[in-house]
Every structure is written in C-alpha cells, then in structure tokens.
Amino acid sequence: MKLIDGKKISATIKEEIAGEVQKIKDQGGKIPHLAAILVGDDPASETYVNNKSKACEKVGFDSSTYRFPSDVSEEELLETVDFINKDHEIDGLIVQLPLPDHIDNQKVIQRIAPEKDVDGFHPVNVGRMTIGLPSYVSATPHGIMELLMRNRIDTRGKNCVILGRSNIVGKPMSLLMARNEEPGNATVTVCHSKTQNLPEITSKADILIVAIGKAEFVTADMVKEGAVVIDVGIHRVPSDKTKSGFRLIGDVRFDEVAEKASFITPVPGGVGPMTIVSLLMNTLKAAKREIYG
Ligand code: NAP
C-alpha cells in the first residue's frame, strides 16, 4: 500500500506557486490578489478565511477580506460583489459559505464575475467544466485530480465508483473522472443514499472516491483488493490519546481498508491539505488570465 501524501504534495505545489510569483515580481508584473467575503462570526468560517489569507501570504499573493455582520443586507453584499468584480487589482473572489438564512447563497454566487470565481461555484464555470471548456474547478475535486496526477495513478478505462453526489464534491468528481483526458477517461458509477447493493458496487471499483459524510462508513469488505481509495470525509471525534481531546477521521475505516488498497489517502493529511492549494492554483490562473483570456 502506498500512502497518498496530500500534506507533502500541497507543500510542493505551494513552493511551485511561490516560484511563479517571484518570477512575476522579477518581471514587474502584477501580484495575484485573492479577496474573500466573510459574513458573521462563525468560528469555523473565520478559521477557513484566516487560513486562506495565511496561505496567500506564504506564496506571495496579496489578499483582502471584506467582513460584514450577520445582519448585513443581501443588497449590500451584492453591491460589494459588483465593486470587487470591477476592481482590476483583484483577480479572484470567494464568498465564505454558508451565508445567513436571509441571504440567497445562489444569488450571491451568480453575481460573481465568472472570470473571478476561483471557487468554481458559478454555473458558468460548472457548465464550462461539464462540456470540457477551460474553467475553474472547485477546490476539493481539483485537489483530488492533482493527487491522482502527481501519484501517476492510471485512471484510463478504470472502473471508478464515487460515493456521494453533492454539488461541491461527488457531482464534479464524476464529470472529471469521466472526461476525455487524463486523469479521467474512467468508467464512472455515482452512488447516493438511494443506491441499492452498495457493497456489491463499491467492491468492483478500481478507484473508490468516498464523500458521503459518514464516519468510517467504508469497511474492508466493501473494497476490492488493490483499489485506489480516496477519502474526502472529515469528522472530529473525541479521543483520550491526543492533547486536544479529539482526533480527525474520514468516511473510510483507514486501518483495515489500507491493508487492501494499492493507494489510499489518510485523514488528516490526504485530501484536506489540497483544498486551499487548489484555490491558490485557481487564483494564479486568474491572475495570468489563463481561463478567460
Ligand atoms: P453532502 O453534501 O452531505 O453529500 C453526501 C452525499 O452522500 C449525498 O449525495 C448523499 O446522498 C450521499 N449519502 C449519504 N448517506 C449515504 C449512504 N448511506 N449511502 C450512499 N450514499 C449516501 O456531503 P459533501 O459536502 O460532499 O461532503 C462529504 C464529506 O466530505 C463530509 O464529511 C465533509 O465534511 C467532507 N468534505 C471534506 C472536504 C475536504 O477538503 N477534505 C471538502 C468538502 C467536504 P443523497 O444525495 O441521496 O442525499
């Protein structure tokens, strides 16, 4: 079994990005700039946005955060998006989700200019990805494709089973794995809560991508000998073995599945570290006008 080391790969990619930023600086070009909109004071959202700013700083990007109280009006938020869309200094814009209930998430996402939508959530980017045009791909699926590519995992003609069909993970993953380029060119089956005979389907997978949000749901008997297993799930569970009093586990029962898998992502340190790095990669593409010219 080979561990897919997302921590190491993400560190390498950050170095590559920092190198590109240095080149841009040396040539007197514009430094990539990522802006984030943060509404309310949810500690998890606050942490995500802070981590994104720190990651920007580490690779030499400029970053800015537009903060609003949780009672901000939808109109004010939309005006801010319009303002950022027109600001030539800013290359990429993300809106930290979820937004408060009185604000329509989709309305805000759809207001972001597609060329600045580095989260890849705008329907224009989702549509472009679907028909194989250059697009921003959302962070988690983008990170998984990068992990497969950098570990030289052969996906062509393989039987790929995806557990979960969410808009942010399962659905885009299925499109990317089925696309006519590599990584991709796999024969894809998407499973969800109404799927029957799940273990029968998963145990035929050469590549099993698990994003169902259920702790240690996938057990060894559900996995084919030699399969590649990608675990997207993250769950915080109590532990008396750690200082913090908790530990992170995935949607896959790691110890027993690792014995059968040819490649497997750990939790933590697998898919997780790739998400912020994917956002940085998209922001660099935005600054270089690689997607929309
Ligand atoms: P989600 O929106 O809750 O979607 C879960 C999917 O799993 C749904 O399609 C659901 O089916 C399906 N499902 C639920 N129970 C099932 C069952 N018993 N059998 C088969 N399918 C079942 O989840 P998500 O946003 O994709 O996230 C999945 C997990 O990944 C979560 O643990 C989340 O925290 C984690 N995550 C991690 C990262 C990262 O950076 N590592 C990023 C995003 C998410 P239905 O459609 O029929 O309801």
Side-chain angles (χ1 to χ4, degrees):
M1 181 275 294
K2 186 167 183 276
L3 208 61
I4 299 179
D5 190 344
K7 210 170 158 189
K8 195 168 159 196
I9 292 173
S10 66
T12 305
I13 296 174
K14 275 189 195 155
E15 277 171 25
E16 291 168 7
I17 296 174
E20 287 221 34
V21 174
Q22 192 53 52
K23 259 193 235 156
I24 294 172
K25 274 188 186 163
D26 293 346
Q27 290 161 3
K30 195 192 100 36
I31 306 298
H33 185 154
L34 175 67
I37 292 180
L38 175 62
V39 179
D41 48 16
D42 172 54
S45 294
E46 185 85 36
T47 305
Y48 287 137
V49 171
N50 284 342
N51 287 345
K52 285 166 190 170
S53 308
K54 273 189 216 151
C56 282
E57 201 182 318
K58 196 158 181 217
V59 298
F61 287 2
D62 288 333
S63 73
S64 43
T65 305
Y66 293 74
R67 289 169 191 274
F68 294 93
S70 53
D71 61 354
V72 63
S73 70
E74 187 177 275
E75 203 187 335
E76 193 180 343
L77 221 50
L78 292 172
E79 277 170 11
T80 307
V81 172
D82 289 342
F83 174 78
I84 296 172
N85 282 343
K86 287 190 208 117
D87 185 341
H88 296 301
E89 253 316 296
I90 295 173
D91 303 295
L93 167 62
I94 56 166
V95 177
Q96 185 63 42
L97 300 175
L99 294 169
D101 289 346
H102 67 281
I103 296 170
D104 181 345
N105 284 5
Q106 268 305 320
K107 207 166 168 183
V108 176
I109 288 170
Q110 292 185 30
R111 195 69 163 247
I112 301 173
E115 62 273 20
K116 294 196 180 186
D117 167 44
V118 287
D119 256 341
F121 291 157
H122 193 291
V124 167
N125 279 309
V126 178
R128 286 174 67 104
M129 180 193 67
T130 306
I131 60 171
L133 287 175
S135 64
Y136 297 113
V137 173
S138 61
T140 305
H142 182 283
I144 294 171
M145 295 309 273
E146 206 61 34
L147 288 178
L148 294 172
M149 192 177 72
R150 289 181 184 246
N151 280 280
R152 296 179 197 282
I153 290 169
D154 186 15
T155 59
R156 187 190 180 99
K158 301 292 179 195
N159 203 3
C160 173
V161 174
I162 297 169
L163 284 196
R165 57 176 167 186
S166 70
N167 284 340
I168 61 161
V169 189
K171 212 174 282 170
M173 228 27 258
S174 67
L175 290 162
L176 291 167
M177 291 303 283
R179 71 183 178 179
N180 188 7
E181 75 185 82
E182 274 141 59
N185 275 323
T187 306
V188 178
T189 306
V190 181
C191 300
H192 45 77
S193 65
K194 316 293 183 298
T195 298
Q196 292 181 354
N197 305 325
L198 194 70
E200 201 181 299
I201 299 169
T202 56
S203 55
K204 292 199 178 86
D206 302 310
I207 302 168
L208 181 61
I209 301 174
V210 190
I212 68 167
K214 290 199 160 27
E216 296 187 329
F217 180 90
V218 172
T219 47
D221 56 315
M222 296 170 74
V223 178
K224 181 176 164 179
E225 194 72 50
V228 174
V229 181
I230 308 289
D231 187 355
V232 184
I234 310 177
H235 310 272
R236 205 172 132 130
V237 293
S239 168
D240 52 16
K241 292 197 183 89
T242 61
K243 233 176 167 180
S244 61
F246 70 86
R247 67 189 177 101
L248 296 178
I249 58 171
D251 285 350
V252 173
R253 199 170 291 172
F254 182 84
D255 291 346
E256 59 178 62
V257 172
E259 283 182 20
K260 282 180 103 174
S262 58
F263 286 86
I264 188 166
T265 56
V267 177
V271 174
M274 296 300 292
T275 53
I276 286 187
V277 142
S278 293
L279 188 65
L280 297 176
M281 291 171 89
N282 279 348
T283 305
L284 185 60
K285 282 183 195 152
K288 292 163 85 179
R289 310 285 183 261
E290 272 182 19
I291 307 286
Y292 286 90

